[in-house]
Amino acid sequence: MGYPEQRPRRLRRTPAVRRLVAETSVEPRHLVLPMFVREGASAPLPIGSMPGVVQHTRDTLRKAAVEAVEAGVGGLMLFGIPERKDARGSQATDPDGVLNVALRDVIGEVGDATVVMADLCLDEFTDHGHCGLLAPDGTVDNDATLEVYAEMALVQASAGAHMLGPSGMMDGQVSVVRRALDEGGYGDVSVLAYAAKYASAFFGPFREAVDSSLQGDRRTYQQDPANAQEALREARLDVEEGADLVMVKPALGYLDLVSAVAANVDVPVAAYNVSGEYSMVEAAAERGWIDREPAILETLTAIRRAGASAVLTYWATEAAHLLRR
Ligand code: PBG
């Protein structure tokens, strides 16, 4: 008789048996590629803190969108960087603003072959870099911001976006966007709510990616990393307000919340593998400190295992190719 009697290693013995019993999979369709488009750019501009990621021109954005679709990615999330920023972020609601033009470009190119999403937030468009309008005392004015978000929703929907991603963490943003869409005749456009978004240092490289002019921080609207309960409340409110999916962001430090939110809501959960999480792996790999491709796939698997249906990741196209190998 052989001891020990329990031998879990039997299920790890060969690649075939490991494949048979794997509980989680990552498929290209689960991945959403965030993309940056810069107004007036004549060549793609590398983002120093995110090796491999660029600010696209309108032209290279279209090409990269097609490549992503050919690789089978589930969605594209577009961010725009305007040439001119002002206190009201007026380029965000201008139909000829860079993000809205880019949405039309990408939809014109890929149509319904993937889900084309638009970031719905003011931080890329304001000269002060905040996600909303400022009151005279310098605080972020929640309700005045909601009016601009409603306007943005209509402009993005009319540009053809399939799904809008309100990411500013203003109270009531999902219901305002939902109502604007319904009243504007865009009842079919869905909402991916950034429900639990934390005031995170891991957004650092993204600030370079969008030429952010933010001074200070976003702690009066993004969540305190110390809190978990609050994430469940935010997710519940967003579902009540009409969110079709809810997101947790960042992903890696917050997998407990991906899991808890997934257990508590009856809509799909997305998680955003943010810029800092990307850059850490890239930087370590560049130094030969980590094996890059396995690290990417392990990262995405962990986020899926925690309960995310969709993963926003700057590796989406490349990972889709790796997964098909
Ligand atoms: C706000 C927004 C941010 C990110 C996505 N949407 C920046 C912020 O909240 O400061 C961060 C994404 C990343 O770090 O990859 N429009």
Side-chain angles (χ1 to χ4, degrees):
M1 215 189 343
Y3 290 93
E5 281 171 17
Q6 297 294 326
R7 294 189 182 273
R9 284 185 55 195
R10 280 190 205 109
L11 294 183
R12 303 176 199 141
R13 211 163 60 85
T14 64
V17 75
R18 290 196 295 271
R19 184 181 63 183
L20 178 72
V21 301
E23 296 171 39
T24 305
S25 66
V26 183
E27 298 168 35
R29 70 182 180 93
H30 297 130
L31 307 177
V32 176
L33 177 67
M35 308 177 85
F36 304 104
V37 56
R38 185 192 179 100
E39 186 176 18
S42 50
L45 253 84
I47 299 161
S49 55
M50 300 178 73
V53 181
V54 300
Q55 295 179 340
H56 282 289
T57 70
R58 283 177 63 181
D59 211 40
T60 65
L61 179 77
R62 277 198 298 262
K63 288 190 190 120
V66 170
E67 281 167 24
V69 168
E70 284 171 356
V73 307
L76 308 173
M77 172 64 84
L78 270 53
F79 296 89
I81 304 122
E83 258 170 352
R84 281 162 296 111
K85 306 192 184 203
D86 57 33
R88 293 191 56 85
S90 53
Q91 290 299 299
T93 49
D94 184 339
D96 295 323
V98 59
L99 176 56
N100 304 316
V101 166
L103 284 167
R104 282 196 291 274
D105 285 346
V106 168
I107 290 284
E109 196 73 40
V110 305
D112 293 338
T114 193
V115 182
V116 178
M117 312 177 186
D119 182 57
L120 197 162
C121 191
L122 283 175
D123 64 314
E124 290 93 11
F125 300 97
T126 52
D127 54 11
H128 46 71
H130 276 293
C131 294
L133 303 183
L134 300 185
D137 66 359
T139 58
V140 174
D141 186 337
N142 192 91
D143 298 8
T145 301
L146 293 183
E147 289 174 31
V148 184
Y149 284 0
E151 223 184 301
M152 260 184 109
L154 288 176
V155 176
Q156 294 179 343
S158 78
H162 299 123
M163 188 177 281
L164 309 186
S167 65
M169 289 298 282
M170 294 300 124
D171 292 337
Q173 64 183 11
V174 173
S175 63
V176 146
V177 164
R178 184 69 269 159
R179 193 178 334 130
L181 290 172
D182 290 346
E183 290 174 3
Y186 298 107
D188 289 342
V189 173
S190 48
V191 176
L192 164 58
Y194 285 58
K197 182 175 180 183
Y198 286 85
S200 173
F202 293 91
F203 301 156
F206 178 94
R207 306 261 162 93
E208 181 191 344
V210 299
D211 295 349
S212 172
S213 27
L214 181 70
Q215 305 283 328
D217 60 54
R218 306 195 195 285
R219 290 179 190 277
T220 68
Y221 41 106
Q222 297 181 346
Q223 289 176 237
D224 184 339
N227 296 348
Q229 195 81 54
E230 200 181 8
L232 298 179
R233 182 182 187 205
E234 286 281 7
R236 173 175 54 79
L237 291 173
D238 282 0
V239 172
E240 285 169 9
E241 290 180 28
D244 299 288
L245 295 89
V246 291
M247 191 198 291
V248 173
K249 177 186 177 182
L252 292 183
Y254 300 82
L255 293 183
D256 55 332
L257 297 166
V258 173
S259 168
V261 169
N264 276 276
V265 298
D266 56 3
V267 298
V269 174
Y272 199 140
N273 180 213
V274 300
S275 57
E277 298 171 343
Y278 171 91
S279 300
M280 286 193 297
V281 171
E282 290 294 336
E286 212 170 84
R287 295 178 179 207
W289 291 354
I290 199 170
D291 194 356
R292 184 173 174 279
E293 291 180 0
I296 292 172
L297 295 178
E298 183 177 332
T299 297
L300 301 176
T301 301
I303 299 169
R304 287 268 306 142
R305 191 196 60 233
S309 300
V311 183
L312 282 82
T313 171
Y314 300 97
W315 290 305
T317 302
E318 181 184 355
H321 287 299
L322 293 176
L323 290 164
R324 286 180 158 190
R325 248 198 234 146

